[in-house]
Amino acid sequence: MASTKQRQRAQQARQADKRAQRQAAKRAHKQRLWTLVALFTVLALVGAFVVAALISSGAPEAGDDAEAGAGTETCPAGVQEARDTYELADPSVAEDRTWTVTLQACAGDTTADIVLELDGAAAPQAVASFVTLAQGGYFDETGCHRLTTQNIFVLQCGDPTFTGSGDPGYSFGPIENAPEDDLYPAGTVAMARRGDDAESMGSQFFLVYEDSTIPSDTVGGYTVFGTITSGLDFVQAVADTGAVDGAPDGEPATPVTIEGVETQ
């Protein structure tokens, strides 16, 4: 089993590779734009006579072919594999401070940084677990498997198996920092768990994209360990497309992938 430092080094290498891939994609996109500009410039210089001749003959314009072949960047599908060899971090890892965590996410042809502010003082065990998993590369290239659009409004992520039952090889409790009024405002980041089981938290978490009242069960509410400070509009755009087959609760119709995670 790889050590935490080895996982951190591997994660840093993956993040550097992701950044290089994004920069290369941006350069390629700019190059395609300049190619189109040059092509249209050439067409303009050919003159009105040639353009008119092409139109009258029914021949397609070169600009149409070039634009159709420009292509778009698409989000890679998340992996679907078990990652259950991790160990639960001690709450002291949260260091009783605020952490900034950036989820490098994509959906369709859109990429976005979802920036989270995690409260290590209010939910030390949840933050310690999340940060350690992130630094170990646990969330890299994983998909968000559940979108709920009725009664409660959340996007649930953190399961590499994409089944809703995956975990990092451990579970923990008790519940920390649950709201007394069961209200989870838009932007809330909270831990998922099984119903009526306060000790069943692991790696799965949910992002609240619209104010939601989530009733407590026999063991209480849900651990709130952070808030979204940037990127909520990305989550809301995913929610706007709904779940597969229009279901009120299911896989997002627009698949979401977490390509990497940075912590500080």
Side-chain angles (χ1 to χ4, degrees):
M1 180 168 63
S3 68
T4 298
K5 289 185 178 179
Q6 289 174 326
R7 287 175 175 154
Q8 291 174 352
R9 286 195 294 268
Q11 190 231 11
Q12 290 169 353
R14 285 192 293 270
Q15 290 175 346
D17 183 58
K18 289 291 183 184
R19 285 192 293 270
Q21 290 177 8
R22 287 187 174 186
Q23 291 171 354
K26 289 180 180 179
R27 287 194 297 270
H29 180 66
K30 288 182 179 179
Q31 183 61 44
R32 288 195 294 270
L33 289 177
W34 280 112
T35 299
L36 287 174
V37 170
L39 181 58
F40 287 124
T41 300
V42 170
L43 286 175
L45 292 174
V46 168
F49 176 78
V50 175
V51 173
L54 287 172
I55 294 174
S56 63
S57 66
E61 293 187 32
D64 295 336
D65 293 337
E67 192 169 3
T72 58
E73 301 298 329
T74 58
C75 182
V79 298
Q80 296 186 31
E81 61 183 17
R83 296 180 179 178
D84 54 6
T85 59
Y86 290 72
E87 297 180 356
L88 178 62
D90 189 89
S92 63
V93 172
E95 297 180 358
D96 196 31
R97 69 175 178 89
T98 297
W99 291 77
T100 299
V101 175
T102 302
L103 307 180
Q104 299 162 340
C106 64
D109 59 359
T110 302
T111 60
D113 286 342
I114 305 175
V115 183
L116 315 178
E117 186 176 276
L118 306 187
D119 191 341
Q125 183 61 86
V127 172
S129 174
F130 189 92
V131 167
T132 301
L133 291 175
Q135 292 175 340
Y138 182 87
F139 300 111
D140 293 359
E141 301 178 356
T142 61
C144 295
H145 63 279
R146 181 185 183 191
L147 176 69
T148 304
T149 60
Q150 186 172 305
N151 298 325
I152 63 174
F153 308 97
V154 304
L155 176 66
Q156 189 164 322
C157 314
D159 177 8
T161 69
F162 208 77
T163 63
S165 60
D167 61 53
Y170 63 78
S171 61
F172 66 89
I175 297 166
E176 302 172 293
N177 196 39
E180 294 182 0
D181 59 1
D182 291 340
L183 177 62
Y184 298 76
T188 297
V189 184
M191 293 301 302
R193 62 173 175 80
R194 291 192 296 271
D196 303 314
D197 188 348
E199 305 292 327
S200 61
M201 289 175 282
S203 58
Q204 295 185 45
F205 61 98
F206 57 88
L207 308 175
V208 182
Y209 62 86
E210 185 177 322
D211 292 356
S212 300
T213 297
I214 306 177
S216 297
D217 56 22
T218 59
V219 296
Y222 296 82
T223 294
V224 173
F225 67 103
T227 57
I228 301 173
T229 60
S230 179
L232 180 59
D233 55 341
F234 171 83
V235 181
Q236 291 169 333
V238 170
D240 286 343
T241 65
V244 172
D245 296 328
D249 188 352
E251 295 179 19
T254 302
V256 181
T257 301
I258 298 174
E259 297 185 280
V261 185
E262 293 183 350
T263 64
Q264 58 181 343

